[in-house]
């Protein structure tokens, strides 16, 4: 399947993407994970992206499009892909449209995961992430803590609160989402690709997607 996952930070895009990859071998492409990996590795990309990310601001569109143009042409994308955290702005959505046309790729849908703001705020302040850039497993101190406090179940690295998950940065990310990314819902509606799901359950989203793509 070839999907865009839309929704505010904390709506569950990453969780849904991971569940969907198990269904048909599609790969999850998370621009946030790619960027955090680059920051940790200290690459040129990471150096350019770091300050924007820490502040809860978006990284400039040209950097993101460079990443995606390469990533979508890698072999593992042939089975399908789930775009998690991209596109994030109307210019990115337009550029993606041009890129997919050029590559001869058609999308199945843009899935908007609609979750109430109070649920989002609670999830983000209690979210913890594995600090190992190759792992980036997600935990929640209330609903799904690691077995040993502060230690990743999967790889044993420290589990931390992300720099952009302080209350101030979270507020900023949600404002940025409403201003820059929420307009993509209309964009994909006009493209005839929009599928909206209002739920706090990732399983509900997965089932709606399965029905849509015939799995
Ligand atoms: P979340 O969806 O939880 O906000 P992500 O992991 O998707 O977090 O992204 C973290 C940060 O990485 C964003 O706040 C932003 O700075 C940057 N980022 C990720 N994807 C994009 C994108 N498509 N365009 C611009 N910046 C991005």
């Amino acid at each position: 399947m070839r999907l865009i996952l839309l929704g505010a930070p904390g709506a569950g895009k990453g969780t849904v993407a991971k569940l969907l990859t198990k269904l048909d071998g599609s790969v999850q492409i998370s621009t946030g994970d790619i960027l955090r990996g680059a920051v940790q590795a200290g690459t040129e990309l990471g150096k350019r992206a770091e300050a924007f990310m820490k502040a809860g601001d978006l990284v400039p569109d040209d950097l993101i499009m460079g990443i995606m143009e390469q990533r979508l042409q890698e072999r593992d994308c042939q089975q399908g892909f789930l775009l998690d955290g991209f596109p994030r702005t109307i210019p990115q959505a337009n550029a993606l449209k041009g890129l997919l046309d050029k590559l001869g790729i058609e999308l199945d849908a843009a899935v908007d995961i609609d979750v109430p703001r109070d649920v989002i705020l609670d999830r983000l302040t209690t979210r913890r992430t594995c600090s190992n850039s190759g792992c980036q497993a997600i935990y929640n101190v209330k609903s799904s803590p690691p077995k040993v406090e502060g230690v990743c179940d999967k790889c044993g690295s420290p589990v931390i609160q992300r720099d952009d998950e302080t209350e101030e940065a979270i507020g900023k990310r949600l404002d940025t989402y409403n201003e820059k990314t929420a307009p993509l819902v209309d964009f994909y509606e006009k493209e005839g690709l929009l599928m909206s799901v209002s739920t706090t359950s990732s399983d509900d989203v997965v089932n709606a997607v399965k029905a849509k793509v015939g799995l």
Side-chain angles (χ1 to χ4, degrees), residues 23-205:
L23 297 180
D24 71 347
S26 299
V27 289
Q28 175 188 9
I29 303 178
S30 157
T31 40
D33 285 352
I34 294 172
L35 291 167
R36 278 185 292 280
V39 169
Q40 206 178 46
T43 63
E44 202 49 45
L45 168 68
K47 284 183 199 141
R48 289 185 61 190
E50 189 168 15
F52 295 103
M53 295 175 72
K54 261 199 175 155
D57 279 325
L58 292 180
V59 170
D61 291 336
D62 62 324
L63 277 189
I64 299 290
M65 289 317 301
I67 296 174
M68 290 307 298
E69 176 145 17
Q70 270 192 355
R71 185 65 189 91
L72 284 172
Q73 294 182 71
E74 282 169 29
R75 228 190 135 71
D76 61 350
C77 291
Q78 285 175 3
Q79 269 300 329
F81 51 78
L82 308 152
L83 302 184
D84 161 15
F86 169 86
R88 272 282 224 288
T89 63
I90 293 284
Q92 288 181 18
N94 275 315
L96 174 65
K97 193 176 170 193
L99 177 59
L100 293 175
D101 279 348
K102 189 173 95 179
L103 299 175
I105 297 172
E106 225 171 283
L107 294 172
D108 294 307
V111 182
D112 180 40
I113 310 173
D114 183 24
V115 174
R117 188 181 166 100
D118 54 328
V119 177
I120 296 262
L121 279 173
D122 186 57
R123 280 186 187 168
L124 290 178
T125 46
T126 52
R127 181 151 90 176
R128 300 292 180 270
T129 307
C130 174
S131 58
N132 169 4
S133 61
C135 177
Q136 304 200 31
I138 305 276
Y139 298 92
N140 184 292
V141 288
K142 285 194 203 158
S143 59
S144 58
K147 290 194 188 82
V148 179
E149 196 186 324
V151 181
C152 180
D153 294 348
K154 294 193 180 134
C155 76
S157 302
V159 168
I160 55 158
Q161 185 161 25
R162 274 166 38 183
D163 284 342
D164 64 356
E165 282 175 355
T166 60
E167 248 170 78
E168 197 188 344
I170 288 169
K172 182 77 185 288
R173 279 162 64 207
L174 291 176
D175 290 346
T176 304
Y177 177 80
N178 288 328
E179 187 193 330
K180 304 254 174 71
T181 311
L184 296 186
V185 172
D186 276 348
F187 179 97
Y188 286 109
E189 167 110 74
K190 290 197 184 101
E191 294 282 308
L193 284 169
L194 186 69
M195 179 184 153
S196 280
V197 193
S198 292
T199 178
T200 56
S201 151
S202 302
D203 288 337
D204 286 353
V205 183

